[in-house]
Amino acid sequence: MHSFLQKFGRLLVIWLPLGWLGIFFMLPLVEMVNVSLSEARRAVPPYNPAFQIGKDGISFQPAVDNYLLIYEYWEDYLWPAVNSVRLAFFSTLYCLLFAYPMAWWIARSNKSLQHILLVLILMPFWTSSLLRMYALIGLLNPNGVINDFLIWAGITVTPIQMMQTDFSIYSGMILTYLPLMILPLYASLVRLDNSVLEAAADLGAKNWDIFRTIILPLSMPGVIAGCLLVFIPAVGEFVIPALLGGPEQLMLGKVIWTEFFRNRDWPVAAAIAIILIAIIILPIVYARYQDKESIS
Amino acid sequence: MTPFIRIQNISKKFGKLLAVDDVSFNLERGELFSLLGPSGCGKTTLLRMLAGFEKPSEGYIEIDGQDMANVDPADRPVNIMFQSYALFPHMSVSNNIAYGLKRASLPSDEIKARVEELLRLVHLSGMGARKPSTLSGGQRQRVALARALARRPKLLLLDEPLAALDKKLRSETQFELVNIQEQLGTTFIVVTHDQEEAMTLSTRIGVMDNGKLVQTGTPNEIYEKPETRFVADFVGDISFLEATVIQRAGKYWLMKAATLIHATGSSTLTSGMKVSLAIRPEKITLTSQPTGQLNEFPVEIEDWAFYGAGTQYKVIGPDGIKLKVYQSHNQPSQANPRQLETGFVHFSPDATFILEG
Amino acid sequence: MRSTVPLLVKLLAIAGFGILYIPVMMMMIYSFNRGKLVSVWAGFSTKWYKELWYDDVLLTALYKSLLIGFSSATISTIFGLLIAIAFVRFAHFRGRLFLSLVASAPLVMPEAVTGLSMLLLFIAMEASFGWPSGRGVDTIMIAHATFGMCFAAVVIQTRLRDMDKSLEEAARDLGGRQPFVFLSIILPLILPSIIAAWLLSFTLSFDDLVIASFVSGPGSSTLPIVIFSKIRLGVSPEINAIATLMILTISALVMIGSFLVLRRDGKK
């Protein structure tokens, strides 16, 4: 009886979450592939499922039209895709630029200051990105705080266009994703043994040399982890291009939204979503491969 | 002639804590000097000041005639071998050893030759391509040594060089270290809390306590003629007898410590003075029958421990005076000490010494 | 040695903190602005906060968001705990690879993709067997619970893995039966991480705009959806006020959460 209960409990522990995630995460993706292969039509729902179980039994008539459509109008979709990768890539780079010194400083601080700084890093991460983007708009607007200040200080006469530029996107991305870059960097830097740095100094290395030959290579796992943590969500970002970007900063996440809500073209939205997944999988596979390399 | 290394009135304060308190000593070229003391006595801080990681609050360090006050760790003719070894985990053994040479921008073939030479010196030839994580503890220790020696420092600092090794390896490595030091003629300063290590390694020892350098001398001087009770107690085993001086007796002094004892002592003693009489366990002989020698009295055996090469006894004499006695087994040890419950001890007056306080 | 952080590094780090905090600080300050114009200071006033109180749309949305947040965070935490136990405690079981895939993929999936795919499933399910009829609070809750449990699993798993296995073995050695040992030994030890996981799931749900937009139906707008539609109309002091309140509330929760976690670490 006892072992039966144990076995039953074990099955429950595994299959309850497995079942939930299978139904509500995996199945939707399958359905999305299905929709992406379906013909669009003017009806409710606005597509004709490729895979159907109906009166006539099971039928599967995939249509690659939606992908062909994307291919045909590639200019409309390629630029958002390129933008997604470009803006995410440089956002990652800028995040790294600010995050590295911050992580270094936190890792080198004494314990109590470390705790305070870590909480300061974590706090914005937990608050809504939407609200922080809103706060940023208040700063960057033509009649926002920064322009007001610049005009008051006599640096400029007319407001500087900061909204709907790459600059506003990067600001938003840094504001949103900086904590995600700092945390893995901090984790790898804090593990760095102080005596290793002293050994390098003792052997004649100056500050820059120590950074280049010791600190940077030893914190590389943190750099890679941080870059992935920023790049992946940044590629699929919706709120930032929607609120801060203009037509020049169109990204795939926003295109999905527009296709779905405005154009009501669900199959194309699904097809773009699948392309977006493909873009995200690449760096993950690359990182996995690197991991295996470094182990062997 | 000025000494090779001069350490003059060095002090270091961390906030209110005085970690190193007015330490001065000189070293000759080629010495192997040990700084011995319990943990927290300031010996590592002193070492870090020599390496340049800490600035002395007061005092003066001079190496080969050069004042070190404003010299960066990177530019000092001093290298250090860390207790944790601090090997660079992402570099091969060769690159670890070559690190300091590359900073000095030596030509690459010269670096290569020097690395080979060092690998041979520490018996790691052919291991240059390995990563530190694939090496054993002893091998890592030797890589750390080779790396610290690569720049031909005038002074090599070793922070607990043997602490991370197991006991058997430690004694082998001790001889190896001394060999290498004699071969190269480099001046070594070793920091250790292990008195045995200090004894076997060094030409001279400095004992530290509470930030102060309490005594310097050869291992023999430190062991046989400790100047303070702390040194006597820290270095080796010892028993103390509280005694009162009675009178001069020939070349010895007659004292009373429960029983009458003859002891050595300086001429400054006067009768009625209270002193601490110290004696090392191995200088005492334990017998089952009285032998009629000087300084003999009956004891009860309270406890004993078998060490293989000898046996250590705790004995209680008249009036409850406690002594530690060590008997080495010159012959195969047969007598089961358990049978021995009482006996007699005696020791030569020359084996005793007097400590103030 | 430890204190020598170069000046340039410090300046960049301070700039980084500035980027994180200045926008939100400015927004908070301007939420007390009397004037309607956002950037022109017209004197101190709390009138925008009072106005929130009479905004029925906002209050309804807040109520829905809280309801969804509480329920989805609770489901997330329970399922996250199960996932963590499965991974840390059971070395081998059928479906381990699949579970590790579906439990980690939601962490990297773009919100728009997750939202879209879930909506498509809900519609297909409704067409096939009539459930869920329409979209509303329940579909948002399911969606939030689904990605929330993956984050919760990560948080709890870390703690569970750190835990000294000999503690549990000692308890069993002393005669404790498995379920009892779990309740009396393991659960109290991982409690801080369970609370942290709940708080994380709650804030993820409470802050989510994109997924909720996809799987919500008419009349089930959550607070972020309402705020998003307001923001599209432009910056207004009223949004400043609600944003200030939300950020302060979440920050307070984070403070409590990080205090719990740091105290745990401090003990170690």
Side-chain angles (χ1 to χ4, degrees):
Chain A
M1 189 63 199
H2 188 70
S3 76
F4 168 76
L5 262 180
Q6 241 174 26
K7 212 166 187 175
F8 183 71
R10 189 187 148 110
L11 283 177
L12 214 63
V13 165
I14 295 167
W15 283 97
L16 227 49
L18 199 59
W20 179 295
L21 287 169
I23 293 171
F24 292 117
F25 179 74
M26 218 49 217
L27 214 53
L29 291 181
V30 174
E31 170 63 10
M32 197 170 68
V33 174
N34 182 23
V35 171
S36 80
L37 294 171
S38 305
E39 268 176 74
R41 65 175 187 196
R42 296 216 163 272
V44 176
Y47 64 93
N48 188 24
F51 179 85
Q52 260 179 319
I53 307 173
K55 284 170 254 148
D56 327 319
I58 297 170
S59 74
F60 183 56
Q61 289 161 316
V64 286
D65 301 21
N66 305 303
Y67 293 93
L68 287 178
L69 197 75
I70 292 172
Y71 180 71
E72 200 175 319
Y73 294 94
W74 61 275
E75 278 177 318
D76 289 355
Y77 300 106
L78 182 71
W79 282 118
V82 170
N83 269 338
S84 293
V85 175
R86 177 180 64 93
L87 292 169
F89 178 80
F90 285 106
S91 300
T92 309
L93 224 57
Y94 295 140
C95 276
L96 187 61
L97 180 72
F98 284 103
Y100 208 105
M102 291 171 89
W104 176 249
W105 189 29
I106 299 172
R108 295 282 108 184
S109 301
N110 61 39
K111 266 273 171 293
S112 51
L113 184 61
Q114 225 171 60
H115 281 185
I116 295 169
L117 292 177
L118 279 176
V119 172
L120 279 180
I121 295 291
L122 277 171
M123 217 130 71
F125 168 64
W126 289 67
T127 59
S128 156
S129 162
L130 176 66
L131 298 179
R132 280 182 290 147
M133 290 312 103
Y134 169 74
L136 191 60
I137 294 174
L139 233 60
L140 300 182
N141 254 348
N143 59 352
V145 176
I146 293 180
N147 270 317
D148 276 3
F149 174 77
L150 291 178
I151 292 170
W152 173 82
I155 295 169
T156 174
V157 182
T158 52
I160 296 171
Q161 172 70 30
M162 284 181 289
M163 281 295 288
Q164 310 201 327
T165 61
D166 283 4
F167 174 77
S168 60
I169 296 278
Y170 293 141
S171 311
M173 292 276 198
I174 294 173
L175 183 48
T176 306
Y177 294 117
L178 196 56
L180 287 180
M181 182 68 93
I182 294 173
L183 292 178
L185 277 176
Y186 161 78
S188 68
L189 286 172
V190 79
R191 245 182 284 142
L192 218 94
D193 187 357
N194 205 39
S195 65
V196 169
L197 305 183
E198 287 182 345
D202 181 62
L203 293 167
K206 301 286 185 179
N207 284 345
W208 171 247
D209 261 344
I210 298 177
F211 176 74
R212 193 176 54 84
T213 58
I214 309 290
I215 300 173
L216 189 61
L218 285 178
S219 63
M220 220 45 204
V223 172
I224 291 172
C227 286
L228 281 177
L229 282 178
V230 172
F231 181 81
I232 288 168
V235 168
E237 184 56 54
F238 164 75
V239 173
I240 295 171
L243 289 182
L244 301 169
E248 302 278 303
Q249 287 80 34
L250 196 57
M251 292 172 72
L252 283 181
K254 200 188 166 200
V255 174
I256 295 175
W257 179 286
T258 314
E259 288 292 342
F260 186 85
F261 285 109
R262 198 160 314 148
N263 301 349
R264 286 190 65 78
D265 193 339
W266 295 13
V268 165
I272 295 169
I274 283 162
I275 292 171
L276 184 50
I277 292 176
I279 293 179
I280 284 166
I281 284 177
L282 280 175
I284 296 175
V285 170
Y286 173 75
R288 273 281 162 95
Y289 174 76
Q290 287 286 53
D291 241 24
K292 286 219 175 88
E293 284 274 276
S294 68
I295 287 167
S296 66
Chain B
M1 208 193 97
T2 52
F4 185 56
I5 288 159
R6 212 166 85 191
I7 290 156
Q8 196 99 48
N9 307 105
I10 286 287
S11 292
K12 176 72 188 176
K13 272 186 192 155
F14 292 111
K16 278 193 168 171
L17 183 83
L18 194 57
V20 174
D21 184 3
D22 195 22
V23 168
S24 302
F25 63 93
N26 296 333
L27 291 187
E28 294 308 322
R29 198 184 288 268
E31 270 199 271
L32 206 168
F33 186 81
S34 286
L35 278 170
L36 176 65
S39 57
C41 71
K43 56 191 193 303
T44 299
T45 308
L46 182 55
L47 199 73
R48 291 172 59 80
M49 285 193 282
L50 286 165
F53 299 134
E54 310 280 359
K55 269 202 178 331
S57 309
E58 271 166 64
Y60 177 82
I61 297 172
E62 192 184 277
I63 296 174
D64 205 7
Q66 191 193 355
D67 177 14
M68 287 290 126
N70 293 312
V71 185
D72 205 56
D75 302 323
R76 292 194 181 204
V78 177
N79 284 120
I80 181 166
M81 189 181 126
F82 288 86
Q83 180 174 9
S84 63
Y85 308 147
L87 297 178
F88 306 133
H90 58 302
M91 292 181 192
S92 67
V93 167
S94 292
N95 282 335
N96 262 285
I97 298 174
Y99 190 85
L101 303 170
K102 285 182 185 160
R103 297 314 122 209
S105 316
L106 293 180
S108 66
D109 49 337
E110 203 173 305
I111 292 178
K112 222 171 163 186
R114 177 88 179 119
V115 169
E116 280 309 314
E117 182 191 330
L118 284 159
L119 283 172
R120 256 197 316 281
L121 179 74
V122 298
H123 307 294
L124 285 174
S125 296
M127 304 269 240
R130 302 261 297 263
K131 282 273 172 73
S133 58
T134 67
L135 301 179
S136 71
Q139 289 168 331
R140 269 181 233 176
Q141 193 253 12
R142 283 180 278 158
V143 176
L145 180 63
R147 187 180 69 177
L149 286 169
R151 283 162 70 95
R152 300 184 206 276
K154 289 178 179 168
L155 171 63
L156 186 74
L157 307 170
L158 302 98
D159 189 2
E160 304 274 2
L162 308 171
L165 304 177
D166 56 58
K167 200 172 163 99
K168 185 101 182 152
L169 196 56
R170 205 180 311 167
S171 59
E172 282 171 29
T173 314
Q174 272 171 13
F175 289 110
E176 190 68 21
L177 208 56
V178 173
N179 258 337
I180 288 173
Q181 195 265 343
E182 281 170 355
Q183 225 174 306
L184 301 175
T186 311
T187 313
F188 278 29
I189 295 182
V190 176
V191 152
T192 178
H193 68 276
D194 182 341
Q195 39 117 352
E196 215 172 288
E197 194 175 303
M199 293 280 173
T200 47
L201 284 176
S202 5
T203 50
R204 272 201 307 152
I205 296 176
V207 184
M208 283 188 76
D209 177 31
N210 242 328
K212 284 196 170 66
L213 188 65
V214 286
Q215 188 177 357
T216 51
T218 63
N220 188 277
E221 282 166 352
I222 296 284
Y223 189 76
E224 301 290 357
K225 296 195 189 78
E227 283 164 10
T228 68
R229 197 175 170 134
F230 171 80
V231 176
D233 201 18
F234 189 74
V235 180
D237 235 336
I238 200 145
S239 307
F240 293 102
L241 299 173
E242 305 311 322
T244 314
V245 180
I246 297 174
Q247 63 183 72
R248 187 112 206 171
K251 61 178 201 167
Y252 302 122
W253 286 86
L254 187 64
M255 307 193 180
K256 176 144 177 67
T259 169
L260 288 178
I261 285 168
H262 286 81
T264 52
S266 65
S267 51
T268 55
L269 295 177
T270 54
S271 80
M273 223 172 138
K274 302 227 180 257
V275 294
S276 268
L277 203 58
I279 180 142
R280 302 239 178 238
E282 76 278 7
K283 309 256 159 68
I284 305 176
T285 314
L286 177 70
T287 54
S288 51
Q289 299 299 323
T291 56
Q293 307 215 35
L294 213 54
N295 291 343
E296 183 165 69
F297 48 86
V299 291
E300 258 176 63
I301 293 167
E302 188 190 33
D303 207 353
W304 58 273
F306 182 65
Y307 282 91
T311 301
Q312 167 115 23
Y313 299 89
K314 281 184 184 169
V315 301
I316 303 182
D319 258 12
I321 52 171
K322 292 187 174 183
L323 286 176
K324 284 183 203 157
V325 179
Y326 181 85
Q327 300 291 272
S328 65
H329 302 305
N330 304 336
Q331 253 103 62
S333 49
Q334 288 158 345
N336 184 350
R338 204 184 299 261
Q339 295 166 341
L340 211 61
E341 281 175 353
T342 56
F344 294 85
V345 294
H346 67 263
F347 49 85
S348 151
D350 294 316
T352 62
F353 47 90
I354 286 169
L355 293 167
E356 317 294 329
Chain C
M1 205 62 194
R2 197 154 257 275
S3 59
T4 57
V5 176
L7 187 67
L8 179 71
V9 171
K10 269 190 184 153
L11 286 177
L12 273 169
I14 290 168
F17 278 108
I19 293 174
L20 286 179
Y21 279 92
I22 288 172
V24 175
M25 297 283 183
M26 295 310 287
M27 181 188 75
M28 288 183 175
I29 292 171
Y30 278 100
S31 74
F32 295 101
N33 189 2
R34 188 192 303 275
K36 181 82 186 162
L37 280 174
V38 187
S39 63
V40 182
W41 187 255
F44 179 86
S45 155
T46 53
K47 70 172 179 180
W48 303 110
Y49 287 91
K50 283 176 204 138
E51 236 161 70
L52 291 179
W53 198 241
Y54 300 105
D55 190 333
D56 278 341
V57 179
L58 218 53
L59 289 181
T60 318
L62 172 66
Y63 167 72
K64 293 225 160 92
S65 275
L66 287 174
L67 180 70
I68 293 167
F70 270 97
S71 46
S72 70
T74 308
I75 299 174
S76 289
T77 309
I78 294 169
F79 276 72
L81 177 62
L82 295 183
I83 296 171
I85 293 171
F87 278 135
V88 177
R89 286 307 149 119
F90 308 151
H92 302 285
F93 57 86
R94 211 175 300 161
R96 189 185 165 98
L97 189 70
F98 184 71
L99 184 60
S100 75
L101 183 77
V102 290
S104 56
L107 302 174
V108 297
M109 199 58 80
E111 291 166 322
V113 177
T114 309
L116 175 65
S117 66
M118 280 199 181
L119 172 62
L120 294 175
L121 178 84
F122 287 142
I123 287 169
M125 282 170 100
E126 190 184 8
S128 308
F129 41 84
W131 182 89
S133 60
R135 262 86 52 213
V137 170
D138 49 349
T139 48
I140 302 176
M141 203 182 74
I142 290 173
H144 283 180
T146 304
F147 73 86
M149 70 180 62
C150 303
F151 285 92
V154 173
V155 174
I156 299 172
Q157 217 172 307
T158 316
R159 178 76 181 124
L160 204 55
R161 196 160 276 151
D162 283 354
M163 216 180 65
D164 192 357
K165 197 149 192 204
S166 55
L167 275 179
E168 190 189 349
E169 282 165 356
R172 291 175 68 182
D173 180 58
L174 295 171
R177 297 256 176 238
Q178 189 98 36
F180 174 75
V181 165
F182 184 82
L183 287 177
S184 64
I185 307 289
I186 302 176
L187 211 54
L189 282 171
I190 60 173
L191 194 61
S193 73
I194 290 177
I195 296 172
W198 192 91
L199 288 173
L200 178 61
S201 316
F202 178 82
T203 50
L204 284 172
S205 163
F206 195 70
D207 291 344
D208 170 65
L209 163 72
V210 179
I211 295 175
S213 297
F214 276 99
V215 297
S216 69
S220 67
S221 292
T222 60
L223 195 53
I225 295 176
V226 171
I227 292 174
F228 183 64
S229 58
K230 277 179 187 284
I231 292 176
R232 293 201 130 177
L233 299 176
V235 176
S236 83
E238 195 191 1
I239 310 176
N240 282 359
I242 178 83
T244 302
L245 285 181
M246 281 173 73
I247 287 177
L248 287 180
T249 311
I250 296 285
S251 302
L253 286 178
V254 175
M255 292 274 242
I256 297 167
S258 42
F259 173 73
L260 282 174
V261 173
L262 290 179
R263 197 184 54 168
R264 179 201 89 196
D265 286 352
K267 271 186 194 160
K268 267 199 302 190

